[in-house]
Amino acid sequence: MRQEQARDIGLFFLLGLMDERVSLAAAGRAIAKIKATEKSPSDLVEPADLIRVCRESWKVHRRLIPRNQPVEAPTSAWVVPAEIDIAIWARYQKDAPDEDIMTILFSLILGFSDVDLADGFQTSTGTIRYRLGKGIRQLGLVVRGQKSALSPGAVT
Amino acid sequence: MKENDKRKLTPFLAHEMLFDYVTDQLDHERRKAVEEFIKEDRESQNLLEAIQRGISYAESLKRIEISAEALDELDHSENLVSLSRRLARWSQWPDSLRWSLVALMISMCTAGTVMIIPWNTIPLFKSTPGFESGSFEIARVQGRKAGGDDGQIVADQQEDGLDAQTGPLEGSGDEEFAEESSGARPTIQVPPPVVAVPPAATSTAATVSAATRVPTPAPVQTTVAHVPAPAPTSAQKASRGYVYRAFMTLSDLENIAPKITQQLKELGAEKAGEVELGWRRGSGRYYHFSLPEMSEQKLMETLRGYGPVRISKDPHPRVMPQGQLRFILWIESGV
């Protein structure tokens, strides 16, 4: 595993769980699991394998974070540019479905392809596109401050 | 299908296709239909703007970086399986451990090779006479038998001549003592070939002169080279002389040394260097002598009577006459 992939995994959990302690524990577990199966430390891990391992670790550690309660923001573990309002993401992440959050993180932030996501999530690319559309629409409404303006038929 | 017969998109379908519309994933016909729907539907316009904002915001999140400490912590994450796999990988071992193992392997291979090779069967090593310095070794000195060793005899005599010419070393006049003191072996002069030898020389003269080894060998040179002998074999050509080196440490040496000197003389010992038997050197006594072979056992018994004797038999270029042995005995005064 290369360091850029370790960075991707760390960012995925920090943004996805928004709790420094749990996020680093989940990321460390995922990285260790990938290291246990890789042939050489210099090889790139297959994206689908990385997504699958991260998803498994997410499911384990997501339970450790209580919903609708304030969490410890990962202030020391990441460097957020001043122009980014991370509170918007925190509001979105608080209520959005896990699968939507993971899909947005892997696709739009970490740049994995829909095919890799479908393989990693063991679903179809159509489902991935649907989750992406739904999630990004909800995120955009949060950015505009109109989360309640979502169409009843559009967001589940 | 005619233009008027086209089914109009429902709001649900149009909204679901907005993300694909923004990311340009629709075919031309669907794209045109969505564009027409957006023009007439206010909610679709709001959602389109929300999607664009959402994508823009998500894109901005790419710029978030993980701190170096957290990244380092993540990079070193291990579990039992990954740790064991890493340790099993030769390339991941610490350099010091890898090189130590390489050195150990080379050492073991070298030691194994040395142990396996039958050195005694290799002629190069077989020809060199060996001895154990710590052991008590009694061996017979092969006296000179062949006339083919004439060159060696001449070399010995020239050495004696050199002794006489250069004078005493270290004040002893004994080349063996000088050799031991300096730790260096004397260089043997290669003798010139002996061409003219008087035929009237006798063999008895040779025996006597070589046995006494007095350091004034000039008269002996002409007589020794003419000893009649059978043709030398290859083993005889390869033979070399020997000298017995004995060491003792005795208390009360001042009283014992004269007794030893006397007993040596009684056994037939004659001094082989220029110094007398029992020559005093510092706190020790030095004996360089030749001895009849038959008295060897008695000599050992005599010396052992005074204390432990360490003796070794060393190869030496000087060959003693048959029946004669050469000894260098050093007795150190001590407890």
Side-chain angles (χ1 to χ4, degrees), chain B residues 16 27 46 57 63 78 94 96 99 124 144 160 208 211-212 220 240 315:
Chain B
E16 290 303 316
D27 58 42
N46 288 337
Y57 182 77
R63 299 201 299 275
E78 300 275 6
S96 55
W99 284 113
L124 179 65
R144 182 182 0 216
D160 292 340
V208 172
T212 53
V220 182
R240 298 172 63 186

Side-chain angles (χ1 to χ4, degrees), chain B residues 181-259:
Chain B
S181 298
S182 64
R185 296 283 180 190
T187 304
I188 304 302
Q189 299 288 330
V190 177
V194 179
V195 178
V197 177
T202 63
S203 61
T204 53
T207 306
V208 172
S209 63
T212 53
R213 307 298 299 171
V214 291
T216 52
V220 182
Q221 266 187 327
T222 55
T223 59
V224 172
H226 193 61
V227 177
T233 62
S234 58
Q236 285 172 329
K237 283 182 178 177
S239 69
R240 298 172 63 186
Y242 292 92
V243 61
Y244 288 86
R245 297 177 192 276
F247 303 92
M248 297 179 74
T249 302
L250 298 176
S251 58
D252 196 19
L253 182 59
E254 290 300 318
N255 295 327
I256 294 175
K259 294 179 184 175

Side-chain angles (χ1 to χ4, degrees), chain A residues 3 6-7 10-11 14-15 24 27-28 31-33 35-39 41 76-81 83-86 88-89 108-109 129-130 132-133 136-137 139-141 143-144 151 153-154, chain B residues 12 15-20 23 25 43 45-47 49-51 53-55 57-79 81-82 85 89 92:
Chain A
Q3 197 175 46
R7 178 256 178 200
L11 190 58
L14 285 170
L15 281 170
L24 292 180
I31 289 169
K33 191 166 185 179
K35 282 182 178 176
T37 57
E38 68 185 357
K39 291 179 181 174
S76 64
W78 64 14
V79 182
V80 182
E83 65 272 16
I84 297 176
D85 184 4
I86 200 67
I88 294 173
W89 174 261
L108 295 177
I109 298 174
R129 294 297 298 177
Y130 168 75
L132 270 177
I136 208 70
R137 193 166 56 212
L139 177 62
L141 291 174
V143 172
R144 279 202 330 190
S151 165
Chain B
F12 176 80
H15 295 168
E16 290 303 316
M17 285 192 285
L18 281 177
F19 179 69
D20 288 333
T23 55
Q25 297 288 315
E43 189 178 356
Q45 293 171 8
N46 288 337
L47 288 178
E49 185 194 355
I51 288 170
R53 284 181 180 237
I55 291 175
Y57 182 77
E59 291 282 336
S60 71
L61 293 180
K62 287 180 180 176
R63 299 201 299 275
I64 295 177
E65 285 298 333
I66 301 179
S67 65
E69 293 81 11
L71 190 58
D72 190 56
E73 181 184 334
L74 292 178
D75 212 23
H76 289 90
S77 299
E78 300 275 6
N79 60 18
V81 180
S82 65
R85 281 176 63 96
R89 227 176 261 139
Q92 295 293 307

